[in-house]
Amino acid sequence: MAFALVLMVALSGIPAGAGGDRDVVRIGYDLETVFTNLDPSKSLNTCDKNIWTLLYDSVVREGPGSLEPGLADSWEIAPDGSSVTLHFPPGRTYHDGSPLTAETVRQGLEYNADNVGLGSVFARIESYDVLDDERLQLNLTEPYPLRLLFDLTGQAGMVVAPSAFGTADKDPVGAGPFKFKSYTPGQTLELRLDPNSPDAAEYEVDGVEYVQVATGNPAVTALRAGDIDVARITADSLNAAKQSGLGISSVATGEFVQLAFRYKRGSEETPFADPLVRQAVSHAINRKVINKVVEAGTAVVSSTHFPPDSPFFVPELQDAYPYSPKEARRLLKEAGYPKGFKTEIVLPGGVASQERQAERIQSMLAAVGIDAKVIKALPQDVFLTFYQGAKGDALSARQLQSSLGPGTIGNLFGAGQQLAVRTGAVDDTITALTDEAYRAVSEDELVRITKEMEQYAVDNALDVPIGFVRQFVAYDKARLAGKPGAPYDSCVPVDLRGVRVK
Amino acid sequence: MVALVPLLLLVSLAVFSLSVLLPGDPARTILGPGAEQADVRALRAELRLDEPFLERYGRWLADAVQGDLGDSIADQRPVIDEIASRFPVTLSMVLGGVVVALLIGVPLGYLAGVRRGTWIDRLVTGISSLGLAMPDFWLAVILVSVFAVNLGWLPSIGYVPFGEDPWEWARHLLLPWIAIGIGASATIARQLRGALVDVLDADYIRTAKAKGLRNLSVVGKHAMKNAAMPATTVLGIQIAYLLGGTVIMEQIFGISGMGSYALRALGKRDLPVIQGVALLTALIFVLMNLLVDLAYGWLNPRVRYR
């Protein structure tokens, strides 16, 4: 032990090796578990967008429920929805200096089309017409122009420079604000600001270095030790981060916690096939208590599928199902279950907050007569257990909001959607409205139809949304000036615009 | 060594069978529950997941004997490349821990053995009990809290390859070495102490003393060699176990080694990686057994293989 102590003191005196440029922000990130591949044409993980957004940008950018210019600074949709024409500004280049033109973007999109995971996206594009250096027309197989544009905000629209085709997994070249420096899988990933990027002026750092650290308390520990400058944290780690004097920023996201139901088991309907039963469950759940137990009171409780700052939000529906065990019992009686019924519910376990949620939901349902046996699954196996394993008739899980509003509800209850098919929850009205929404040629029309979907989904309690989680980012106030912005989506990078190293 | 090939075949077949029996569709797991069914079908076809079991296993085996363990489904990187880059990381973490364990455990075991029944023996027994009872991950968290967060002497996370910067390599691994080493040293101290007590009672030791040999020579040259044999066996098993995966340590210290690779593969139903790691683990156990046997031969010439 004495030897170890001497060694420790001796090594602590050695100055740290060259750790990179002085003005590089070190971001703690679970590269090991969450990040897979630098090449959007190869990756099967859409959440790699966290890195791709900085490297490649995307054809169109995603705002909360809206489209914003990306590589394309504007676009036109044909009146019949049969095509979309993208406009690219002149003079833009990739990191290797080659020009970004309509032709190179076309090549980049076709490169991504090789990814088997993007087959359904690119199946919507029948052909490409390069009208000139600055305009690319996408001719669609089906008149779903806005759906395609929203798809191009993600993996499908991350354009790799032609010089990096086939090698982008090791040496990526894009047109994003940051260019590639180095990558050690599972350990570190370094990017440097591209001074030629039109977005460069918004950043005050030389670059970013992603450093491997597991999410949660390990990230807080690394921040306290000064080994990283910023990291996402969960609500569980919030108190520890605050007590350590770390800076915190947060934003309410579109990711919502919900109870989902199995409507049918084979040909036999479960009690949850009856909307009165689902409405009863919605009244039985005390959303504020669940928020306090699972999200430390930080979530935005709501009965809706869209958060208050979303263009698709319907304010009158936010409290459509106030907590009322009495109303829940009345509805169950009306549905023919005066004494309640037995069921099984799949809940994530293995994490303290999720364990507490399981107990609370079970007791809330018991209070109205529903005897719910809890089936616990590891968080990463919850969908496997409920949807593929067909265990349980109800599930508590987090749902990511689809970047395209109608998809948030359409993906849960539309015809052909796996989540709906496997639970017998396919709804013809939602299917029809989803199709109508996808055919919209203006964002106003899209918003109108999506709100109609929301009204229907909430009125019929197709599921039970509980609340919208917040994303938290903790940062070292001693080292960083400015406030890193928490991303509204777990697959979007931390916003470092306006942040600099002191 | 002759048994190595059939053993590896058996392990690979067993792991392949169990992996196939794992619940969940790997393609659906990778693409996510909301992925379009057409995309899932296309991925299954690309990965040839619908081929008959024996055909898939045969194809995998034919590639494996040529050193190709396939590509990870999750990140599309060759499994053999990932193992080649991660194994040295785990190896350096584990071997350093073993060195610490020997530096602490051997002297303690020696002292307790030669001072049997004294307060030194009782003290060492108490310390080793504490070491055995203390979970290594708990110790790791304490070490990080004290030496990285509060004192700022050492980094809390990360790994620097030895070739890149030997000092930083050592600085980043010192806390894991200590966390691993302390638990292992307790086992070594106990084993050595017990074996030494037995050996010191043997007739040949009494004979050596009667012949007038110095105590240091009797214990150091004669007793220790025989007492080391059971401890060597335990050490070999411990090393093999640690090399198979130090998941929790890797999570705490942000080190991407074999343990986290295996854990990620299980979560994502990444069959090529599961197979590759299982094979490597089997190989490690066999090699460690061989090294232990060779060590026996060095320690005791009577058991040397001809």
Side-chain angles (χ1 to χ4, degrees), chain B residues 18 110 189 201 257 305:
Chain B
L18 287 171
Y110 171 87
D201 278 342
Y305 293 105

Side-chain angles (χ1 to χ4, degrees), chain B:
Chain B
M1 289 299 282
V2 172
L4 178 63
V5 171
L7 176 68
L8 289 179
L9 268 174
L10 199 61
V11 166
S12 70
L13 183 61
V15 173
F16 201 93
S17 310
L18 287 171
S19 302
V20 167
L21 291 172
L22 272 175
D25 173 1
R28 172 62 67 184
T29 303
I30 295 286
L31 291 178
E36 302 264 358
Q37 189 61 12
D39 294 341
V40 173
R41 273 198 298 268
L43 181 59
R44 284 189 66 83
E46 185 172 284
L47 298 174
R48 297 199 258 185
L49 294 175
D50 292 324
E51 284 181 353
F53 169 82
L54 283 178
E55 202 173 312
R56 285 172 61 196
Y57 177 68
R59 186 162 33 81
W60 176 85
L61 192 62
D63 290 338
V65 295
Q66 298 175 70
D68 178 6
L69 296 177
D71 292 346
S72 159
I73 298 174
D75 61 26
Q76 302 83 42
R77 280 194 290 276
V79 174
I80 193 79
D81 289 356
E82 280 297 299
I83 288 177
S85 67
R86 287 166 181 273
F87 186 69
V89 177
T90 299
L91 189 68
S92 53
M93 191 164 70
V94 168
L95 288 186
V98 167
V99 167
V100 169
L102 289 171
L103 287 173
I104 298 171
V106 170
L108 285 180
Y110 171 87
L111 276 174
V114 298
R115 296 279 187 266
R116 175 179 51 173
T118 65
W119 67 270
I120 293 176
D121 184 16
R122 285 193 288 275
L123 180 66
V124 169
T125 303
I127 290 172
S128 63
S129 296
L130 194 65
L132 283 170
M134 209 161 33
D136 52 7
F137 63 85
W138 176 84
L139 180 61
V141 170
I142 298 292
L143 288 170
V144 166
S145 183
V146 172
F147 294 107
V149 176
N150 289 330
L151 293 173
W153 285 0
L154 294 164
S156 66
I157 55 167
Y159 174 82
V160 176
F162 182 84
E164 189 178 307
D165 190 328
W167 286 118
E168 283 301 309
W169 170 81
R171 284 185 79 240
H172 280 80
L173 285 176
L174 186 58
L175 292 181
W177 287 342
I178 295 171
I180 291 171
I182 285 180
S185 69
T187 307
I188 291 170
R190 280 230 159 156
Q191 284 288 327
L192 188 59
R193 184 255 176 212
L196 202 52
V197 161
D198 288 340
V199 164
L200 286 174
D201 278 342
D203 290 340
Y204 68 90
I205 294 294
R206 270 201 291 276
T207 305
K209 285 181 182 173
K211 284 167 87 173
L213 289 175
R214 287 161 57 189
N215 202 42
L216 194 62
S217 175
V218 169
V219 177
K221 192 175 171 187
H222 297 286
M224 277 294 280
K225 268 194 173 179
N226 285 301
M229 285 168 66
T232 303
T233 306
V234 166
L235 186 64
I237 294 171
Q238 274 196 324
I239 293 174
Y241 172 72
L242 286 169
L243 284 174
T246 46
V247 176
I248 298 178
M249 286 295 162
E250 290 175 16
Q251 289 276 301
I252 293 170
F253 293 105
I255 293 174
S256 295
M258 294 297 301
S260 48
Y261 192 44
L263 184 67
R264 187 190 78 176
L266 282 168
K268 292 179 187 266
R269 308 294 189 268
D270 198 341
L271 303 183
V273 175
I274 294 172
Q275 279 286 95
V277 172
L279 264 190
L280 176 69
T281 306
L283 194 61
I284 287 169
F285 268 92
V286 169
L287 287 176
M288 281 312 307
N289 276 332
L290 176 65
L291 286 174
V292 167
D293 288 345
L294 290 174
Y296 269 33
W298 177 74
L299 289 168
N300 186 349
R302 288 176 297 175
V303 300
R304 275 177 197 165
Y305 293 105
R306 296 188 192 279

Side-chain angles (χ1 to χ4, degrees), chain A residues 109-237:
Chain A
L109 292 177
E110 293 208 338
Y111 177 63
N112 287 346
D114 284 342
N115 189 324
V116 66
L118 296 173
S120 55
V121 172
F122 285 100
R124 300 188 193 115
I125 301 176
E126 184 170 11
S127 62
Y128 303 84
D129 286 328
V130 179
L131 303 179
D132 52 42
D133 276 353
E134 292 161 23
R135 291 182 305 153
L136 174 65
Q137 182 172 302
L138 310 177
N139 302 309
L140 308 183
T141 54
E142 294 167 309
Y144 296 157
L146 285 176
R147 187 178 190 186
L148 178 68
L149 283 171
F150 272 97
D151 283 333
L152 293 178
T153 65
Q155 182 176 0
M158 299 285 171
V159 177
V160 176
S163 63
F165 288 172
T167 58
D169 57 339
K170 291 188 174 57
D171 192 10
V173 178
F178 290 83
K179 52 186 175 182
F180 176 73
K181 181 170 186 247
S182 69
Y183 176 43
T184 304
Q187 209 65 52
T188 59
L189 169 64
E190 292 188 64
L191 307 176
R192 291 294 178 264
L193 188 67
D194 178 12
N196 298 320
S197 166
D199 298 313
E202 296 182 58
Y203 292 91
E204 296 179 48
V205 295
D206 288 336
V208 297
E209 180 185 358
Y210 288 87
V211 178
Q212 164 63 29
V213 68
T215 309
N217 285 332
V220 174
T221 303
L223 278 164
R224 292 173 62 203
D227 291 320
I228 54 175
D229 303 317
V230 62
R232 288 171 211 256
I233 60 171
T234 58
D236 282 345
S237 309

